[in-house]
């Protein structure tokens, strides 16, 4: 089943359960998918990679918003954002642990013959491509820096 069909099924379930947090999050995902499709001008569905990037973006937006709310002492606004991020995260593949990411990073460094921070861009490009949807860029960047420094 495609992501859009999964979202629609989950949306119907959330409507029946009267789960407002899930409804809001799923409607946002559906809206973002439709917007992405119209931006490209195609009537075909998004590729799996585009869908993963879109979901990651939505989760990151919600987590960033929640962090700002907590920083400002507004836990009442942060909680719904975190709940929505959790709902959207259900559609992402299982995230890799830092140890698993480090194995991929070390292999990429060895394959590319990277020898310092000047090669970070090359390593990041390769690793980010391999770990699309499985790890966020901030974590990958930190591990690459640690191993190249």
């Amino acid at each position: 089943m495609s992501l859009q069909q999964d979202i629609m099924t989950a949306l119907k379930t959330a409507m029946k359960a009267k789960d407002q947090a899930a409804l809001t999050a799923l409607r946002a995902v559906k809206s973002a998918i439709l917007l992405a499709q119209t931006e490209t001008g195609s009537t075909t569905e998004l590729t799996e990679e585009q869908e993963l990037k879109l979901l990651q973006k939505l989760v990151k937006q919600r987590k960033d918003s929640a962090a700002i709310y907590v920083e400002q002492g507004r836990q009442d606004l942060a909680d719904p954002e975190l709940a929505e991020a959790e709902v959207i995260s259900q559609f992402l593949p299982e995230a890799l642990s830092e140890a698993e990411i480090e194995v991929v990073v070390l292999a990429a460094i060895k394959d590319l013959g990277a020898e310092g921070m000047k090669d970070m861009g090359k390593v990041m490009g390769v690793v980010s491509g391999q770990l699309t949807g499985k790890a966020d860029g901030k974590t990958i960047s930190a591990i690459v820096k640690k191993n190249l420094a």
Side-chain angles (χ1 to χ4, degrees):
M1 226 190 311
S2 74
L3 177 67
Q4 261 188 310
Q5 291 170 331
D6 290 344
I7 297 292
M8 288 305 297
T9 303
L11 194 62
K12 289 175 189 173
T13 305
M15 282 180 183
K16 289 177 184 173
K18 297 187 182 345
D19 184 353
Q20 287 301 316
L23 273 173
T24 305
L26 293 169
R27 284 181 177 144
V29 172
K30 182 181 172 192
S31 170
I33 290 171
L34 290 173
L35 190 64
Q37 285 178 336
T38 55
E39 279 178 1
T40 59
S42 66
T43 55
T44 59
E45 291 190 11
L46 299 173
T47 64
E48 190 172 335
E49 185 176 316
Q50 289 171 319
E51 290 173 344
L52 287 176
K53 283 184 180 180
L54 184 73
L55 290 175
Q56 283 180 319
K57 178 181 159 191
L58 293 171
V59 169
K60 185 178 184 321
Q61 282 177 345
R62 290 190 175 47
K63 286 184 178 177
D64 289 347
S65 295
I68 291 169
Y69 289 143
V70 168
E71 196 177 285
Q72 300 294 322
R74 295 295 309 265
Q75 192 63 40
D76 59 316
L77 295 174
D79 291 339
E81 292 288 336
L82 292 172
E84 287 179 25
E86 191 63 37
V87 170
I88 297 169
S89 296
Q90 294 172 357
F91 297 97
L92 285 170
E94 194 65 39
L96 296 177
S97 69
E98 287 194 20
E100 293 169 318
I101 295 170
E102 191 155 8
V103 169
V104 174
V105 168
L106 291 172
I109 289 172
K110 183 180 173 192
D111 291 346
L112 294 171
E115 296 179 355
M117 291 304 290
K118 66 179 177 13
D119 296 325
M120 184 173 172
K122 293 177 190 173
V123 176
M124 282 295 296
V126 170
V127 174
S128 294
Q130 291 175 349
L131 300 180
T132 300
K134 297 176 187 162
D136 68 322
K138 191 183 289 186
T139 307
I140 295 171
S141 176
I143 293 172
V144 170
K145 279 181 187 174
K146 183 179 84 172
N147 287 298
L148 286 178

